[in-house]
Amino acid sequence: GAVVSQHPSRVICKSGTSVKIECRSLDFQATTMFWYRQFPKQSLMLMATSNEGSKATYEQGVEKDKFLINHASLTLSTLTVTSAHPEDSSFYICSARSLAVRGNEQFFGPGTRLTVL
Amino acid sequence: RKEVEQDPGPFNVPEGATVAFNCTYSNSASQSFFWYRQDCRKEPKLLMSVYSSGNEDGRFTAQLNRASQYISLLIRDSKLSDSATYLCVVKPDTGRRALTFGSGTRLQVQP
């Protein structure tokens, strides 16, 4: 139980294109989903927190117009990197949490590796 | 100052060795603490929670010192499969309760 999937696992795109990453909780309803980013040899950095049906809360320094988050249902959140540039190349990881599942633990997706050429 | 600080390593140890990692955190507010393990190019996985009284899970022992704002992880009888990056993680007990990750300590267990 408590499985989170991400799609795609890897994407390579040209500069200026938009990329959508999906995060799904497969066997539980996620009250909250988090989006993290990890650059090589660095820690995971929280980008934003989203609750189903409401606007995401972005961390300081994260452009909300560039990183669009949609949390349309209790099992799906999407992150769209708009007009991607090489500096957006990173490992994007989502996590999902439910008050009803294992003491409010966060469950991580397998991550999406984005490379912008 | 970073919220969570760790020695990046790498720690290169032989199989069977005992190795300890330390972590310090800057926010003294009420929080919960965890150690996660992250393999190369994979998502982090929860290794264990850290309690003030100290806790053990097999070969792994975690300690928390709230007065010094210091967390440790001890691995006994290291296995090759323990090679990974170990992340010290803090979660506030109020608010959004998002996780704050340290940059990780890399462990390489040698045969």
Side-chain angles (χ1 to χ4, degrees):
Chain A
V3 177
V4 176
S5 71
Q6 266 184 255
H7 178 79
S9 57
R10 182 180 209 104
V11 58
I12 301 172
C13 69
K14 291 182 181 177
S15 187
T17 59
S18 293
V19 175
K20 182 189 276 189
I21 303 170
E22 291 187 350
C23 176
R24 291 181 187 273
S25 56
L26 298 184
D27 50 4
F28 68 101
Q29 294 187 322
T31 321
T32 306
M33 286 184 170
F34 302 89
W35 286 96
Y36 295 85
R37 179 168 56 180
Q38 186 176 32
F39 292 107
K41 299 193 190 301
Q42 294 187 28
S43 61
L44 278 78
M45 297 298 294
L46 180 67
M47 298 175 68
T49 304
S50 74
N51 294 294
E52 183 264 340
S54 60
K55 287 185 180 178
T57 302
Y58 289 80
E59 294 300 299
Q60 195 170 14
V62 178
E63 299 173 56
K64 62 180 181 181
D65 294 330
K66 181 170 179 64
F67 298 99
L68 302 178
I69 291 173
N70 186 305
H71 194 161
S73 76
L74 283 170
T75 59
L76 173 65
S77 176
T78 60
L79 167 68
T80 301
V81 184
T82 61
S83 187
H85 290 283
E87 58 266 29
D88 298 322
S89 299
S90 188
F91 190 44
Y92 292 85
I93 309 176
C94 71
S95 71
R97 183 183 76 194
S98 168
L99 294 172
V101 180
R102 277 189 1 216
N104 211 16
E105 181 182 337
Q106 283 190 34
F107 302 95
F108 285 85
T112 297
R113 193 158 300 277
L114 171 64
T115 303
V116 185
L117 303 174
Chain B
R1 185 184 170 188
K2 290 182 183 176
E3 283 191 61
V4 182
E5 295 211 56
Q6 292 182 252
D7 179 346
F11 283 56
N12 294 303
V13 303
E15 268 187 290
T18 295
V19 61
F21 306 136
N22 301 321
C23 167
T24 57
Y25 60 95
S26 60
N27 189 342
S28 60
S30 178
Q31 304 180 97
S32 300
F33 305 92
F34 309 88
W35 282 102
Y36 276 71
R37 169 194 170 127
Q38 186 175 26
D39 292 288
C40 189
R41 304 173 88 86
K42 300 279 190 184
E43 77 277 21
K45 293 187 189 294
L46 178 64
L47 182 64
M48 59 197 302
S49 302
V50 187
Y51 304 117
S52 297
S53 54
N55 50 298
E56 192 173 302
D57 183 359
R59 297 181 293 110
F60 299 84
T61 301
Q63 294 275 356
L64 165 64
N65 184 322
R66 287 189 189 271
S68 302
Q69 295 183 201
Y70 168 96
I71 304 155
S72 66
L73 176 68
L74 183 79
I75 304 175
R76 290 181 298 279
D77 188 23
S78 300
K79 310 289 184 194
L80 294 176
S81 57
D82 293 334
S83 298
T85 296
Y86 290 84
L87 305 170
C88 177
V89 180
V90 173
K91 183 180 79 171
D93 289 339
T94 58
R96 288 177 293 118
R97 303 185 187 184
L99 302 180
T100 298
F101 287 82
S103 54
T105 299
R106 188 158 159 250
L107 171 66
Q108 186 66 48
V109 181
Q110 319 271 11

